[in-house]
């Protein structure tokens, strides 16, 4: 709190007024009251101005402190939100990875199952072909043997007839 400089100015004015009257000290009471009122008014105005300045400085300081605190709170809030978002993102990624792993496992199992079915079907088909081939071969052999057996008397008879014809000639 600085004292107003205007008090010195008021003293100078009174001193000048004395010298203008030729050094007489005969100032009337009305002039003294008028000067005192003027000085009091000046002091009030100076004090009011000074108090306003101090109040404004205090307001500025409080606002600055508030701004710093507000910024700090805002920053902490953002950090908390970021941490929460990072945690949520991590959880979502973990869930998606797990789902993907399960889908890949299921797909692999399906692919392996289908491949096994194909190989089994191919094996069965190949086995059927081999069995049919073997059956056909045995049937052909059996038919040959059967034919040979059943045709043997006919052959012998024909051969005998041929022999008989040859002998007659």
């Amino acid at each position: 709190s600085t004292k107003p400089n205007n008090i010195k100015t008021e003293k100078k004015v009174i001193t000048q007024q004395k010298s203008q009257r030729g050094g007489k000290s005969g100032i009337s009471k009305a002039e003294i009251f008028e000067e005192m009122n003027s000085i009091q008014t000046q002091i009030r105005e100076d004090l009011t101005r000074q108090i306003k300045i101090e109040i404004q400085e205090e307001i500025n300081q409080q606002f600055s402190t508030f701004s710093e605190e507000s910024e700090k709170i805002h920053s902490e809030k953002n950090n908390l939100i970021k941490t929460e978002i990072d945690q949520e993102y991590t959880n979502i990624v973990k869930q998606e990875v797990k789902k993907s792993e399960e889908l890949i496992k299921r797909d692999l199992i399906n692919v392996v199952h289908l491949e096994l079915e194909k190989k089994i079907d191919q094996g069965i088909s190949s086995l059927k072909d081999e069995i049919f081939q073997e059956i056909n071969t045995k049937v052909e052999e059996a038919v040959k043997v059967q034919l040979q057996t059943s045709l043997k008397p006919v052959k012998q008879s024909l051969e005998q007839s041929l022999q008989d014809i040859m002998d007659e000639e």
Side-chain angles (χ1 to χ4, degrees), residues 84-100:
E84 253 181 62
I85 289 172
D86 288 348
Q87 188 61 46
E88 266 309 302
Y89 178 77
T90 301
N91 289 341
I92 289 171
V93 167
K94 283 179 182 176
Q95 288 173 355
E96 288 302 312
V97 165
K98 190 173 180 181
K99 282 181 190 175
S100 294

Side-chain angles (χ1 to χ4, degrees), residues 13-159:
V13 169
I14 293 172
T15 310
Q16 284 174 352
Q17 287 175 350
K18 276 186 185 178
S19 64
Q20 287 172 357
R21 292 185 193 133
K24 292 182 184 177
S25 61
I27 300 174
S28 72
K29 286 183 181 180
E31 288 176 325
I32 290 173
F33 281 124
E34 189 180 313
E35 282 297 319
M36 282 177 53
N37 284 339
S38 173
I39 290 170
Q40 284 177 344
T41 303
Q42 191 64 44
I43 289 172
R44 262 192 233 110
E45 287 174 359
D46 289 346
L47 284 175
T48 303
R49 192 171 25 259
Q50 186 63 33
I51 289 170
K52 282 182 181 177
I53 288 170
E54 287 175 7
I55 289 172
Q56 188 60 47
E57 287 173 356
E58 182 65 25
I59 288 171
N60 289 344
Q61 179 61 39
Q62 292 294 330
F63 182 76
S64 174
T65 302
F66 171 76
S67 293
E68 289 169 9
E69 288 297 316
S70 175
E71 182 62 34
K72 187 177 171 185
I73 289 169
H74 186 70
S75 176
E76 288 173 4
K77 179 181 160 195
N78 282 346
N79 285 339
L80 283 173
I81 289 172
K82 185 181 180 302
T83 302
E84 253 181 62
I85 289 172
D86 288 348
Q87 188 61 46
E88 266 309 302
Y89 178 77
T90 301
N91 289 341
I92 289 171
V93 167
K94 283 179 182 176
Q95 288 173 355
E96 288 302 312
V97 165
K98 190 173 180 181
K99 282 181 190 175
S100 294
E101 286 174 347
E102 289 172 3
L103 286 174
I104 289 170
K105 282 179 189 175
R106 193 182 73 218
D107 288 348
L108 280 174
I109 288 171
N110 287 342
V111 166
V112 167
H113 185 71
L114 288 174
E115 285 300 313
L116 282 174
E117 281 182 356
K118 277 185 193 175
K119 289 192 187 254
I120 289 170
D121 288 347
Q122 287 172 350
I124 290 173
S125 177
S126 175
L127 200 54
K128 277 183 189 175
D129 290 345
E130 286 177 26
I131 291 171
F132 281 131
Q133 187 66 37
E134 197 171 319
I135 289 173
N136 285 339
T137 304
K138 291 194 182 218
V139 165
E140 284 176 8
E141 287 174 12
V143 167
K144 274 185 187 175
V145 168
Q146 183 65 33
L147 275 174
Q148 284 176 351
T149 306
S150 62
L151 288 178
K152 200 172 201 179
V154 172
K155 181 181 172 193
Q156 285 175 351
S157 169
L158 281 174
E159 282 178 351

Side-chain angles (χ1 to χ4, degrees), residues 154-169:
V154 172
K155 181 181 172 193
Q156 285 175 351
S157 169
L158 281 174
E159 282 178 351
Q160 187 59 45
S161 295
L162 186 61
Q163 189 65 38
D164 288 344
I165 293 174
M166 300 255 299
D167 285 345
E168 283 180 12
E169 283 185 15

